[in-house]
Amino acid sequence: MTDVTSPANPVLKSLKALADKKGRREQGLFLAEGLRVCTEALATGHVPRTLIFAADAEGHPLTAALVAATEARRGTVIRSTRDLLHRLTGKDNPGAVAAAYAIPDTGLARIDRGTAALWVVAENLKDPGNLGTMLRTCDATGAGGVILLDQSCDPFSLEAVRASMGGVFTRRIAQATGPDFLAWLRAGPGELVGAALDGHTVDYRAHRFAAPTFLFMGNEQSGLPPAYAAACDALVKLPMKGTADSLNVAVATAVLLYAALAQMEPL
């Protein structure tokens, strides 16, 4: 264990660099924050490569468990201050701990479609907060995870990890091009259900979801491109009763996931 009180410390600088995609790519690590999130990560087998915690939280049993697990894996443990945690995470009220974890392989080969009845596919998703919320909802509904296509945002940015509330550790994440995903999908079982307002759509409540279902969500501004919509087995829509012409993509994903779950696991 090392005590660090200066922002000039090289290990702290390397952790700070994880705020940028370039730093994450170079180090193969991403940053997560919060005692609860890091504890849940540990429960699923994710041990920090580097752990930093505020000295005033050292006596907490969950902090002690994280320290012990990190040291057992020969990771780096830093005892520091709340001020430096604020500098590291950018939060005004930083949590007691933050930790760097190895970025997992995000190839499609890691996705075992038989492990879950529901999966989310997101095309050109730009907002990391929406992505994190989608991962959190996948966790809540038992969906397997999110497959990101084309120019989607980085799932391991601090914003996405923070919004996922631990979902980044419990759900599978894959990244692929559209053609590669479609080839992979058609090589096994699975129905591709796109969310769209135009085309041959049906009300989402009228569609019969069958496992495994891959919910295909388009970009918030432009929706599913026509070529992707044409590749779907079915298109569903959420009725807009008011003046709004669409829903936030994370909200729409949540509605569809719970609708499918209600069909697949009726009370």
Side-chain angles (χ1 to χ4, degrees):
M1 186 183 300
T2 303
D3 287 293
V4 173
T5 57
S6 169
N9 178 272
V11 177
L12 198 66
K13 283 186 174 181
S14 70
L15 292 176
K16 184 68 174 176
L18 299 180
D20 297 323
K21 188 173 183 178
K22 179 182 178 182
R24 293 191 293 274
R25 184 173 61 249
E26 291 176 346
Q27 298 185 52
L29 301 172
F30 71 96
L31 194 68
E33 59 178 310
L35 186 57
R36 175 182 174 183
V37 169
C38 293
T39 296
E40 290 177 351
L42 185 61
T44 57
H46 296 86
V47 179
R49 294 289 183 87
T50 301
L51 175 72
I52 179 171
F53 67 93
D56 58 24
E58 186 171 6
H60 197 292
L62 296 181
T63 304
L66 285 165
V67 169
T70 305
E71 290 180 335
R73 291 284 185 90
R74 299 182 180 274
T76 300
V77 177
I78 296 174
R79 181 168 48 206
S80 190
T81 66
R82 296 272 178 172
D83 178 64
L84 287 187
L85 279 166
H86 161 68
R87 290 170 179 254
L88 180 62
T89 65
K91 291 186 69 175
D92 290 334
N93 296 302
V97 304
Y101 296 88
I103 295 176
D105 176 10
T106 58
L108 281 170
R110 291 187 72 246
I111 300 294
D112 181 353
R113 69 185 80 199
T115 59
L118 292 167
W119 298 84
V120 173
V121 184
E123 189 274 331
N124 206 25
L125 182 66
K126 296 302 185 183
D127 190 314
N130 281 334
L131 172 54
T133 301
M134 290 159 78
L135 284 166
R136 183 178 182 180
T137 308
C138 282
D139 185 275
T141 57
V146 177
I147 300 171
L148 297 166
L149 303 187
D150 303 329
Q151 302 303 312
S152 291
C153 60
D154 185 356
F156 303 107
S157 68
L158 189 57
E159 295 85 354
V161 173
R162 181 182 293 153
S164 80
M165 291 297 292
V168 70
F169 296 108
T170 63
R171 303 299 100 184
R172 291 290 189 185
I173 299 171
Q175 295 171 296
T177 65
D180 284 347
F181 163 71
L182 290 173
W184 172 86
L185 177 69
R186 298 312 179 192
E191 181 183 46
L192 187 61
V193 179
L197 289 175
D198 301 317
H200 298 291
T201 61
V202 299
D203 190 295
Y204 77 102
R205 293 165 293 185
H207 182 74
R208 305 311 299 175
F209 294 93
T213 286
F214 292 81
L215 291 175
F216 202 175
M217 311 301 296
N219 177 275
E220 263 194 338
Q221 282 70 43
S222 54
L224 278 179
Y228 285 144
C232 291
D233 300 302
L235 294 174
V236 298
K237 63 182 177 182
L238 281 69
M240 298 288 111
K241 300 294 188 180
T243 58
D245 60 4
S246 66
L247 285 176
N248 169 276
V249 66
V251 173
T253 300
V255 172
L256 292 174
L257 283 173
Y258 271 103
L261 180 64
Q263 286 187 14
M264 294 176 179
E265 298 182 7
L267 293 177

